Amino acid sequence: MRKCLLSNSDALFNEISKNAKLYIPVDLEKGRVAYKEYTEGLKMSDALKTDRSAKDFFFPQTETLMAFKTQGKNIEVIDNRAESEDFVVFGVRACDVKSLEVLDKVFLAEPVDSYYQNRREHGIIVSMACSRPSETCFCQTFGIDASSPQGDIACYKTNDAFYLEGLTEKGKALLEKLDGVTEECCSCEVEGEKAKIKEILDKLPLKDLKADAFGKDKTDEFFNRPEWKTLSESCLGCGTCTFVCPTCQCYDIKDFKTKTGVERFRCWDSCMYSDFTKMSAGQPRLSQLERFRQRFMHKLVYFPTNNDGMFSCVGCGRCVAKCPISMNIVKVMKTLGGKEND
């Protein structure tokens, strides 16, 4: 365990950024919080979490995949990928760290997505324990401990210091480079901080939310439930929930013409949109009810069925906070989850 006084945090961040690009959560205008590349003097936000998760570093909202240069009937395929620089994302909460495990199941399964894989290999995650979990948090529902985050390095923030613990080979290697701005210490302060966090977690309004009724091989049980109609009636199909979600992985691929040829790019897509998965034969999900059901069945049933019981939700609470009509996965679980969620 290593310790760095908060008064010396600039020295810590400067040392990290000597070897890799460093990104920290920063306060923006209108209460927004986002990751920004660290420059000397940049102040780290005290907010619980960023508006959008660390997913963006590994699966960006838009990215160019390749280009095609045409000359007459000749087509040249240009692989415009470059090796990613090493980078460090500091202050990732436990729920968002877990979301990367969900994305790994998708993008690192065969055939491996080499764009995502490359970023995962170059990225280092410094997680941060949640000293002030909010009322919209329900990570405990999915077995995540906000007081003991995973990642490459786990960080605990007290009133006067950061406490850093290397969890992976990448994390331990980075900590060794920080000897000059950190000092060896015992874990007693960290244990006290964990106890405080657990006390808060036990008082959250969603602490008793259960996912036990859902999971693998439950399609027949939930697919035709009549409650889907009532639940979906107010849905706007805006896609806000999917764009703030740290585990959503749907994307579209398109080509656009340039002066020199064609570029192919991919961008995030949303199962809540009316043209999602639209094909020449038509739209397989014609109603908002079907699209609404698809989103939550995927989170709670389809994904765990295909991934050894792992849910595609980490209880970060972003959809609870951001949905303009207050319809979210918590309401779905409470409505369909039986007496345990009454």
Side-chain angles (χ1 to χ4, degrees):
M1 183 76 68
R2 307 290 298 181
K3 175 181 177 180
C4 175
L5 294 176
L6 295 184
S7 58
N8 202 33
S9 60
D10 280 345
L12 173 69
F13 293 153
N14 282 325
E15 194 64 29
I16 294 174
S17 60
K18 284 181 181 178
N19 300 291
K21 281 191 174 183
L22 170 64
Y23 298 89
I24 63 174
V26 174
D27 292 321
L28 307 178
E29 70 248 4
K30 297 181 180 179
R32 295 177 56 241
V33 184
Y35 288 105
K36 294 293 181 182
E37 184 179 349
Y38 176 77
T39 55
E40 189 165 0
L42 190 64
K43 187 179 185 320
M44 181 175 169
S45 172
D46 287 326
L48 174 65
K49 51 181 172 274
T50 49
D51 292 347
R52 293 200 340 202
S53 74
K55 175 177 78 172
D56 294 45
F57 291 101
F58 305 97
F59 174 41
Q61 186 171 349
T62 61
E63 66 178 320
T64 301
L65 300 178
M66 62 186 70
F68 305 93
K69 189 174 182 180
T70 58
Q71 188 171 9
K73 294 184 178 180
N74 297 319
I75 300 176
E76 179 185 359
V77 180
I78 303 170
D79 185 347
N80 49 20
R81 286 178 292 180
E83 283 298 311
S84 295
E85 299 176 273
D86 291 335
F87 63 94
V88 178
V89 189
F90 195 101
V92 182
R93 301 300 183 178
C95 53
D96 288 346
V97 177
K98 183 66 176 181
S99 73
L100 295 177
E101 292 184 33
V102 175
L103 297 179
D104 287 350
K105 289 280 189 179
V106 177
F107 293 114
L108 298 184
E110 291 294 337
V112 171
D113 185 308
S114 55
Y115 298 87
Y116 177 88
Q117 181 186 46
N118 191 47
R119 294 186 179 99
R120 284 291 271 147
E121 289 174 350
H122 284 272
I124 295 177
I125 296 294
V126 180
S127 62
M128 180 80 74
C130 296
S131 56
R132 293 178 289 107
S134 77
E135 292 185 352
T136 58
C137 295
F138 55 104
C139 64
Q140 296 176 96
T141 300
F142 301 103
I144 300 167
D145 186 353
S147 71
S148 186
Q150 299 303 299
D152 296 301
I153 295 175
C155 179
Y156 303 85
K157 184 180 179 182
T158 62
N159 291 331
D160 65 343
F162 286 131
Y163 291 83
L164 304 158
E165 180 183 11
L167 301 178
T168 67
E169 291 305 314
K170 284 198 296 186
K172 292 173 183 177
L174 176 58
L175 270 185
E176 287 180 4
K177 297 176 182 177
L178 303 177
D179 279 355
V181 292
T182 63
E183 59 186 70
E184 188 70 29
C185 66
C186 70
S187 61
C188 50
E189 288 287 339
V190 168
E191 294 307 315
E193 186 65 19
K194 286 183 179 181
K196 292 177 185 177
I197 295 171
K198 289 181 182 296
E199 285 182 13
I200 298 174
L201 292 172
D202 287 340
K203 296 176 183 177
L204 294 181
L206 298 177
K207 69 181 179 65
D208 294 323
L209 183 68
K210 303 289 190 236
D212 300 349
F214 306 94
K216 62 187 300 186
D217 303 325
K218 296 291 185 73
T219 300
D220 290 343
E221 183 176 338
F222 288 105
F223 190 83
N224 290 315
R225 288 281 290 269
E227 293 94 334
W228 290 117
K229 184 177 186 302
T230 304
L231 286 167
S232 64
E233 280 178 346
S234 59
C235 180
L236 304 175
C238 66
T240 298
C241 55
T242 58
F243 276 69
V244 298
C245 178
T247 66
C248 278
Q249 64 265 175
C250 292
Y251 62 85
D252 195 8
I253 295 179
K254 294 183 179 181
D255 294 343
F256 66 95
K257 190 174 181 180
T258 67
K259 292 181 179 179
T260 58
V262 175
E263 286 196 8
R264 176 166 295 168
F265 73 99
R266 70 173 169 189
C267 58
W268 293 353
D269 205 349
S270 173
C271 58
M272 304 298 268
Y273 293 162
S274 60
D275 61 352
F276 181 73
T277 66
K278 189 174 183 178
M279 299 172 284
S280 58
Q283 168 58 271
R285 302 185 188 97
L286 296 173
S287 67
Q288 194 60 37
L289 184 155
E290 292 170 296
R291 295 189 283 273
F292 182 93
R293 178 179 60 193
Q294 164 64 25
R295 169 169 168 74
F296 296 107
M297 284 289 285
H298 182 264
K299 298 285 184 192
L300 299 170
V301 178
Y302 302 156
F303 196 88
T305 296
N306 294 316
N307 293 280
D308 304 316
M310 176 186 284
F311 289 99
S312 183
C313 177
V314 292
C316 71
R318 287 184 177 89
C319 63
V320 179
K322 299 295 184 181
C323 178
I325 49 88
S326 299
M327 177 50 67
N328 51 66
I329 197 168
V330 171
K331 289 188 176 179
V332 171
M333 293 173 70
K334 286 186 172 183
T335 301
L336 301 177
K339 292 182 179 180
E340 65 179 12
N341 282 329
D342 287 345

